[in-house]
Amino acid sequence: MLATSPVATQAPGAEEGDAHLLLDHLQKSFGDFQAVEDLNVSVRRGELIALLGPSGCGKTTTLRMIAGLSSATSGRILVDGREIQSLPAHDRDMGLVFQSYALFPHMSVERNVAFGLEMRGIARDQLKARVAKALELVQLGHLAQRRPRELSGGQQQRVALARALVIEPSILLLDEPLSNLDAKLRDQMRVEIRDIQQRLGITSVFVTHDQVEALSMCDRIAVMDKGRLAQIGTPQDIYERPATPFVAEFVGRINKLPGQMRDNSTITVAERTFKTTRNVGESGDVTMMIRPHRIEMVKRGTPSDGRNVAHGTIARATYVGDILEYSVELTDGVTLAVETATGGHSRTFSHGDEVELRWSPDDTIVFGAQA
Ligand SMILES: Nc1ncnc2c1ncn2[C@@H]1O[C@H](COP(=O)(O)OP(=O)(O)OP(=O)(O)O)[C@@H](O)[C@H]1O
Ligand SMILES: [Mg+2]
């Protein structure tokens, strides 16, 4: 069972103790516009951390400051406890992978990967061995003599990764590296990047606006909202115990209903009463949230076992392969999204069916309505 503590995991602020990379009150403004505001993130050695948030929330700006491609307006960046702001990008010992692969079109795969080492004046024989090793790591050894245009998108992405890894950086920074790839290749590359990152034990910051990517690949996720850190925690923390309505809605689908707290554990929504164990001191107007897949659909009249119950009619059923998405209209016009797995023994319903919905008070999330 997952912990049902109603206490949301709030951003703990940066802790210097075991941090490999530490962002300490980091800020960036462009004129009057604050792109990154008081950002505190501590990344442990060997950890893969996601910077997750919608377009324009400041992810790339943050990554560029870490890489030394742009300077912070205020705050500090520390690596192993040492401030690095005064170091130029090429002295920061960081590997960078961008969304656009930025490969040199006229150079072979091998030369593209070797470039960073040549710039660092690495001796020829050592260089060849290191390039071969990096290409092996991304399984491109056999394509070393090709030009970028002779490669697929996924292969080009792997060249970009090899080029970042070949310098054996202490920190790897990835900015939406998979967004140019089709869904299947993206899945495959997620596994490959995670595998390489773990094998090398390389501390990594992975920028993405894709919640599935963040949840499935990363040790921890820092969710950003308008330049600020909304929450930092493990994928489970973020998904199960969202700290704000923004996090709840951005990471995974969720139902959202306006209601009023009657006492600490009772909410009324349009004349109905529901129980929650997730209220942290809210009273008066609240927003009740429930994940669609935490709602069970059963035949009417089955005993409720202390769970919340609502009756409704299927307004829409959408088959999406492994899941069925239902839109269920409760008798008073309120609609709930429900997801069930297809196949197996799960029963399916269709338009017009009358159903009973059940969900646990532990899955009934409450936020203040003004939040
Ligand atoms: N050089 C700049 N001058 C002015 N504003 C900028 C500059 N660079 C970024 N911004 C603004 O700062 C905000 C954050 O931009 P940033 O590129 O960090 O977003 P992002 O989270 O990476 O978004 P996306 O997912 O679209 O890449 C945006 O509103 C952007 O318009
Ligand atoms: Mg960006």
Side-chain angles (χ1 to χ4, degrees):
M1 257 316 268
L2 291 156
T4 54
S5 155
V7 181
T9 316
Q10 265 295 1
E15 306 140 28
E16 295 206 19
D18 53 356
H20 185 189
L21 171 67
L22 185 76
L23 311 182
D24 182 29
H25 299 289
L26 200 61
Q27 313 239 37
K28 178 75 184 184
S29 39
F30 297 106
D32 291 342
F33 178 70
Q34 191 97 47
V36 174
E37 222 176 315
D38 196 30
L39 189 64
N40 294 296
V41 176
S42 163
V43 189
R44 300 178 195 122
R45 187 171 300 283
E47 186 174 40
L48 175 59
I49 199 162
L51 284 186
L52 174 69
S55 182
C57 74
K59 305 178 299 289
T60 296
T61 304
T62 303
L63 209 69
R64 287 175 56 84
M65 287 191 279
I66 300 172
L69 299 175
S70 89
S71 58
T73 306
S74 66
R76 302 185 305 158
I77 302 169
L78 296 97
V79 171
D80 284 324
R82 278 186 311 138
E83 282 197 35
I84 59 161
Q85 284 104 297
S86 57
L87 291 179
H90 59 265
D91 285 338
R92 290 199 181 189
D93 196 16
M94 294 180 185
L96 283 163
V97 183
F98 292 107
Q99 172 179 0
S100 58
Y101 323 119
L103 302 176
F104 300 115
H106 58 286
M107 288 185 191
S108 67
V109 165
E110 188 175 42
R111 294 255 356 260
N112 263 282
V113 176
F115 187 76
L117 296 178
E118 284 168 9
M119 296 300 285
R120 284 170 169 75
I122 305 291
R124 191 102 209 116
D125 52 336
Q126 216 199 87
L127 183 142
K128 267 200 109 56
R130 276 172 70 173
V131 169
K133 197 173 124 203
L135 285 177
E136 216 46 59
L137 203 58
V138 297
Q139 297 168 27
L140 281 183
H142 60 297
L143 300 179
Q145 299 315 321
R146 291 240 186 124
R147 299 285 153 101
R149 66 165 185 279
E150 297 163 336
L151 301 176
S152 73
Q155 289 165 340
Q156 291 183 51
Q157 192 63 74
R158 280 186 275 165
V159 177
L161 186 60
R163 192 176 53 177
L165 291 171
V166 77
I167 60 165
E168 296 172 9
S170 87
I171 292 170
L172 184 63
L173 305 173
L174 306 114
D175 192 354
E176 310 249 9
L178 308 180
S179 53
N180 277 341
L181 307 179
D182 68 48
K184 196 157 180 202
L185 204 50
R186 205 156 57 216
D187 281 350
Q188 187 189 332
M189 282 296 294
R190 279 178 194 152
V191 175
E192 285 179 21
I193 290 181
R194 177 57 161 166
D195 184 53
I196 291 170
Q197 182 268 334
Q198 284 185 317
R199 255 191 295 152
L200 301 179
I202 186 165
T203 307
S204 307
V205 181
F206 190 104
V207 164
T208 179
H209 62 259
D210 182 334
Q211 37 126 350
V212 175
E213 209 153 275
L215 289 168
S216 63
M217 281 180 76
C218 300
D219 295 304
R220 284 192 306 150
I221 301 173
V223 184
M224 290 181 71
D225 177 16
K226 300 194 193 82
R228 293 186 146 267
L229 186 66
Q231 186 173 6
I232 185 164
T234 63
Q236 260 199 5
D237 285 335
I238 300 287
Y239 188 79
E240 300 289 344
R241 293 171 290 281
T244 67
F246 168 83
V247 175
E249 287 185 89
F250 189 72
V251 184
R253 296 179 65 210
I254 201 154
N255 288 292
K256 197 176 158 190
L257 301 176
Q260 285 83 39
M261 284 317 290
R262 289 299 166 216
D263 59 45
N264 193 40
S265 60
T266 313
I267 314 165
T268 48
V269 176
E271 314 290 304
R272 292 156 190 285
T273 308
F274 300 114
K275 288 285 179 190
T276 178
T277 58
R278 303 286 297 270
N279 184 25
V280 273
E282 296 295 346
S283 58
D285 289 346
V286 293
T287 302
M288 178 174 91
M289 294 191 177
I290 318 140
R291 300 273 181 213
H293 67 99
R294 293 288 158 83
I295 300 176
E296 198 190 348
M297 224 150 37
V298 290
K299 262 210 334 252
R300 285 197 178 181
T302 327
S304 74
D305 305 325
R307 292 189 296 164
N308 289 317
V309 176
H311 293 138
T313 310
I314 305 276
R316 192 163 30 90
T318 315
Y319 174 80
V320 232
D322 48 356
I323 56 168
L324 264 160
E325 291 176 357
Y326 295 102
S327 180
V328 181
E329 221 166 85
L330 307 197
T331 39
D332 42 25
V334 177
T335 300
L336 279 178
V338 180
E339 281 175 13
T340 61
T342 55
H345 302 293
S346 53
R347 180 170 167 199
T348 59
F349 297 87
S350 36
H351 180 84
D353 282 354
E354 298 203 340
V355 289
E356 185 165 299
L357 306 180
R358 307 255 204 95
W359 66 92
S360 164
D362 295 343
D363 291 325
T364 309
I365 302 172
V366 176
F367 289 110
Q370 75 290 351

